[in-house]
Amino acid sequence: MRVLLTGAAGFIGARVHRELADAGHEVVAVDMMLPAAHGVGARAPEHVRVLDVRDPDALDSVLRGVDVVCHQAAVVGAGVSAQDAPAYASHNDLGTAVLLAAMDRAGCRRLVLASSMVVYGEGRYRGVRPGAVEVGVRRRGDLEKGMYEHRDPDSDAVLSWAAVPENAPLRPRSLYAAAKVAQEHYAAAWAAVTDSGVTALRYHNVYGPDMPRDTPYSGVAAIFRSALESGKPPQVFEDGRQARDFVHVSDIAAANLAAVEYPHTGFLPLNIASGRPITIGAVATTLAAARGGPEPEITGRYRPGDVRHIVASPEQAQRILGFTAQVDPLDGLAEFAFAPLRAVAGAGAPLM
Ligand code: UD1
């Protein structure tokens, strides 16, 4: 198939590119080489055309004969301040809207969208009684006292996490999450009005070789990895028992290939996770042990916007796409301890 791949020079996009090409697909690779992601003055790899997805004319010129669009281009990170809001809205949401309109002009009816588990906000919780318990934002006073877990509003008992299914409510908690929800909604509406198919892959915490070095917009794996490299202990927030699912970039690429090769109509959101949740403390310990120290520090500090646990159910992706992650996070993170990281020289906040 002929596949338009956006964000093709990025950490995830470059891996998806290889996966699609190795499977025999013809890839039209584009990337706008955003300084926040690639560093200031970075040049596009030879096989990648510089293109901004918000440019309708440029899109018209590359969409001819394209069967599927695999849309990875996005401003990432949770957002550092409210000043980042226009960049998320512009690149992620306007960009997706312009792309969807161009796909309609080109008669392209299939989209694979890079989404994120951040669309759920907090994960799913259960108490002693059957059924999920709704939780709100944790109170600052509780966090100050070291009470990190959500509690049952009736009994005050500590709640435990449960795997989040795709039909869970979407409750974005960051600017990035809000932008991802909007992308999904635009794509779902486009699928309905044009009788097209969208598969939204809700990535969990992605890591792997060529991940950008730590910036205020990086995920925790890159931050811990960069600290260890400069001989500093990873700083673990809260008590380190918060759970996440770390999925290797090679598995993300495999999930994208499966989604590109799965035709359907309508809107299909799928969690893409390893299925083997791990605590943040264990991530730090695994990375530190592989590098021979220094030992992580459990700081008790917290970020007010952070969710406590977010762990997905990977069952739908297995049932529908036949996708199962291959890399066990404990093995993948140990290997990641020495993997090369991408330099992002001079990368600042994302600009519109
Ligand atoms: C992260 C990404 C999000 C992405 C998602 C899925 C960021 C900021 N967040 O969400 O954009 O969509 O993964 O891939 O990029 N922590 C520490 N020490 C640190 C930094 C963080 O202990 O130095 C803890 C945090 O308190 C949190 C956990 O690590 O409990 C994960 O943090 P992080 O990777 O930033 O964010 P996620 O919410 O998992």
Side-chain angles (χ1 to χ4, degrees):
M1 275 185 290
R2 192 170 161 91
V3 183
L4 174 67
L5 174 65
T6 71
F11 159 51
I12 293 175
R15 198 68 181 236
V16 173
H17 191 177
R18 243 194 293 159
E19 188 86 10
L20 293 173
D22 288 351
H25 296 293
E26 185 194 342
V27 184
V28 180
V30 301
D31 198 298
M32 80 167 284
M33 302 305 293
L34 203 65
H38 298 275
V40 175
R43 302 212 3 217
E46 218 172 281
H47 51 274
V48 176
R49 177 167 163 177
V50 177
L51 181 148
D52 184 340
V53 290
R54 296 166 301 176
D55 179 344
D57 295 335
L59 282 174
D60 286 343
S61 72
V62 290
L63 269 167
R64 237 167 282 128
V66 164
D67 302 295
V68 187
V69 174
C70 186
H71 185 32
Q72 307 291 324
V75 170
V76 299
V80 170
S81 85
Q83 299 312 309
D84 292 333
Y88 285 106
S90 179
H91 291 284
N92 300 1
D93 300 332
L94 176 62
T96 299
V98 174
L99 175 64
L100 293 169
M103 287 174 70
D104 187 45
R105 286 194 295 281
C108 179
R109 295 271 164 265
R110 290 189 49 217
L111 174 70
V112 174
L113 175 68
S115 187
S116 168
M117 56 66 166
V118 293
V119 296
Y120 300 119
E122 273 288 0
R124 173 166 280 219
Y125 292 85
R126 59 170 175 238
V128 282
R129 288 190 300 277
V133 182
E134 291 294 324
V135 300
V137 177
R138 292 180 291 172
R139 286 196 299 251
R140 234 173 233 265
D142 290 344
L143 294 167
E144 282 295 335
K145 284 184 260 171
M147 286 166 54
Y148 305 117
E149 297 289 358
H150 285 287
R151 287 171 183 270
D152 191 310
D154 298 331
S155 68
D156 205 38
V158 167
L159 300 172
S160 47
W161 62 260
V164 183
E166 284 83 352
N167 61 4
L170 305 187
R171 298 209 169 103
R173 290 267 295 268
S174 66
L175 296 171
Y176 173 67
K180 282 283 148 193
V181 171
Q183 272 186 304
E184 282 201 4
H185 286 169
Y186 276 108
W190 172 83
V193 296
T194 63
D195 201 21
S196 302
V198 175
T199 307
L201 302 179
R202 292 177 178 161
Y203 303 161
H204 281 249
N205 296 63
V206 187
Y207 70 98
D210 207 29
M211 193 174 184
R213 262 171 207 288
D214 63 325
T215 76
Y217 297 85
S218 301
V220 72
I223 293 173
F224 286 171
R225 167 73 172 71
S226 304
L228 285 162
E229 197 171 82
S230 42
K232 294 188 192 126
Q235 302 286 304
V236 179
F237 297 156
E238 305 183 15
D239 56 2
R241 296 205 189 104
Q242 59 274 45
R244 294 288 190 280
D245 187 310
F246 284 76
V247 55
H248 196 270
V249 67
S250 60
D251 283 322
I252 293 289
N256 272 279
L257 173 62
V260 160
E261 293 182 346
Y262 179 73
H264 69 96
T265 50
F267 180 73
L268 175 64
L270 294 173
N271 290 327
I272 303 299
S274 76
R276 283 163 276 200
I278 185 171
T279 65
I280 295 300
V283 171
T285 312
T286 304
L287 286 168
R291 285 198 74 99
E295 291 278 302
E297 280 172 14
I298 312 286
T299 64
R301 291 207 308 273
Y302 63 89
R303 295 189 304 202
D306 271 344
V307 300
R308 176 62 175 168
H309 305 292
I310 169 85
V311 170
S313 165
E315 279 165 27
Q316 287 273 75
Q318 156 66 34
R319 194 171 58 74
I320 296 173
L321 295 183
F323 166 76
T324 310
Q326 299 300 305
V327 182
D328 185 303
L330 290 175
D331 299 334
L333 287 164
E335 183 204 277
F336 178 63
F338 287 100
L341 296 182
R342 175 186 292 241
V344 279
L351 302 173
M352 275 175 72

